[in-house]
Amino acid sequence: LMGTTSFLSRARALLRIRNQLVRECLAELLSTFIITLSGAAQKITSFEMKGNLLTSYLAGALAVMAGIYIAGGISGAHMNPAFSFAMCLMEQFPWWKFPIFMFVQTLASFLSAGAVYILYYDAIWHYSNGTLTVSGPRETASIFATYPADYVSIANGFLDQVIGTGVLILVIMGIMDTRNKAVPKGLEPVVVALLVLSIESSMGSNCGCPLNPARDIGPRLFTYVAGWGPEVFSRGNGWWWVPLVAPLLGAAVGAFLYQLFVAFHYPEEDSDVLTEQGSIVLVNTTIDPDIGMLPKEKDTGGTVPAGYPPPPCASSTVSPTVPNTPLKKS
């Protein structure tokens, strides 16, 4: 036991990363990897065992819950560029971090698709009769990325994703808003998982309900290089760009609808309480708006002293506990 403790202490001293941004990226990488791994692996089980998509949706929702528990206190467990985009619009997340998070989330999804391919290599080739196809009765490309049903047009699929992602972000806004009906602390990931399950099971028939640009484009790129070929981009009349663009628009719609119908109308006399508790319409003052660093990071040249715990990210689905200040009136 002493030897193990000593080894862990030495490993921590050697491998510990102090840079805040790098720690957040590592947390995003791991949590996004988990949600893609679970969702794609469950789809393969449905293919082979002739199951239904509900089991796949359930696995994906539980993976979202796991991802939030893994990274919620470090990076906010965005795991989705649409969520990061909404947080930027709400001034809860710096814009300069958005492309970084989107790249990390996409990379994680790409790597996760590769892991699923390796894990179920024999099953995929057995099911496909030795041919990796994007369409037809034995296609396997939809294990990794989403494709529209044959009867769904590009316009209908685009609207589908705007509405689905809009509902997702709108309800998450309500979950995060401490002025609204509070979710018991620590159960936010469970509630978000139930929300994802509800949306996927009720809105998944048109195009598989991607809702997440990184979750779709990362595995799609993997299938392109792994042998499925360019048809992964041409199937469905060039469908590939819809899960990349529509969720971002849906996130903006959902975020602003919550502000317009709920958040803008709270009594102003609650402002002192809200400053202490934090709220989704409040700005995280622990982040310098110019360089996006925590105050302690600026003092130490971009690092955090040993033993200094990072505050929960204000853009997480876990209720923030850091001090916040109200947005300026427009």
Side-chain angles (χ1 to χ4, degrees), residues 113-161:
V116 171
Y117 179 69
I118 294 171
L119 179 64
Y120 283 105
Y121 180 85
D122 291 339
I124 291 172
W125 284 96
H126 171 73
Y127 179 83
S128 63
N129 290 328
T131 304
L132 300 179
T133 58
V134 182
S135 57
R138 289 283 175 171
E139 65 85 14
T140 48
S142 62
I143 291 171
F144 300 93
T146 61
Y147 296 89
D150 294 337
Y151 55 83
V152 176
S153 66
I154 290 291
N156 193 183
F158 191 93
L159 181 63
D160 175 282
Q161 283 306 284

Side-chain angles (χ1 to χ4, degrees), residues 28 75-103 105 158 161-162 165-166 168-170 172-173 176 211-214 243-256 259 280 313 315-316:
E28 278 297 298
S75 67
H78 293 198
M79 303 181 291
N80 185 342
F83 180 74
S84 301
F85 184 67
M87 293 300 97
C88 289
L89 292 174
M90 295 297 101
E91 300 185 17
Q92 292 289 303
F93 192 66
W95 280 103
W96 67 269
K97 279 188 180 182
F98 174 68
I100 299 174
F101 266 47
M102 185 169 184
F103 172 78
Q105 292 155 358
F158 191 93
Q161 283 306 284
V162 170
T165 313
L168 174 69
I169 298 301
L170 190 154
I172 288 178
M173 292 287 163
M176 293 171 59
L211 305 177
N212 185 336
L244 194 60
V245 176
L248 298 179
L249 178 59
V253 171
F256 284 120
Q259 303 299 305
I280 189 57
C313 180
S315 54
S316 170

